[in-house]
């Protein structure tokens, strides 16, 4: 008969894997155009929910798919971080979904 610790090892490994799957989301940044921009600090990136009045250019499309524990504000913040990595001045959120929280938008730079 196997010792209990040998029986429990695969069980704990399975729980660890399940925990990782349930707590890690997926982000996407798709550059638009030929110019790469340097990343900027996240706190410099504005979050917008409607078209701005000033002129801008789209530099990337961003999205984040959360897990079952994610919230819409949390995934919007992840889109903001993705836009910062793309060098954006702002992220214009174009869609959000509550179940399995997700958000998508446009990383933009002011002209």
């Amino acid at each position: 008969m196997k010792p209990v610790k040998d029986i429990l090892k695969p069980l704990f490994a399975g729980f660890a894997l399940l925990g990782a799957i349930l707590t890690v989301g997926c982000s996407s940044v798709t550059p638009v155009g030929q110019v790469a921009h340097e990343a900027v600090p996240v706190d410099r990136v504005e979050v917008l929910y409607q078209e701005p009045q000033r002129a801008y250019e789209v530099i990337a499309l961003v999205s984040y798919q959360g897990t079952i524990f994610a919230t819409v504000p949390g995934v919007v913040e992840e889109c903001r971080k993705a836009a910062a990595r793309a060098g954006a001045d702002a992220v214009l959120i174009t869609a959000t979904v509550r179940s399995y929280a997700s958000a998508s938008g446009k990383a933009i730079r002011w002209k």
Side-chain angles (χ1 to χ4, degrees):
M1 184 169 207
K2 286 186 175 185
V4 173
K5 69 177 187 173
D6 289 342
I7 295 170
L8 293 178
K9 274 185 185 178
L11 183 62
F12 287 133
F15 282 133
L17 179 60
L18 180 61
I21 290 169
L22 293 176
T23 58
V24 176
C26 179
S27 69
S28 170
V29 178
T30 305
V32 174
Q34 302 297 321
V35 179
H37 300 278
E38 274 192 46
V40 299
V42 175
D43 61 353
R44 278 197 32 212
V45 179
E46 296 177 67
V47 177
L48 308 172
Y49 293 93
Q50 54 187 329
E51 287 286 330
Q53 296 301 309
R54 60 194 281 195
Y56 66 88
E57 66 175 321
V58 177
I59 62 168
L61 302 177
V62 298
S63 65
Y64 189 84
Q65 172 70 51
T67 66
I68 60 171
F69 302 113
T71 63
V72 170
V75 295
V76 167
E77 182 61 21
E78 292 299 327
C79 283
R80 182 181 186 206
K81 291 175 185 177
R85 289 192 303 273
D89 294 317
V91 59
L92 176 58
I93 301 299
T94 56
T96 60
V97 178
R98 285 187 188 203
S99 60
Y100 278 92
S102 66
S104 58
K106 301 181 228 177
I108 63 175
R109 287 181 66 99
W110 305 122
K111 286 188 175 183

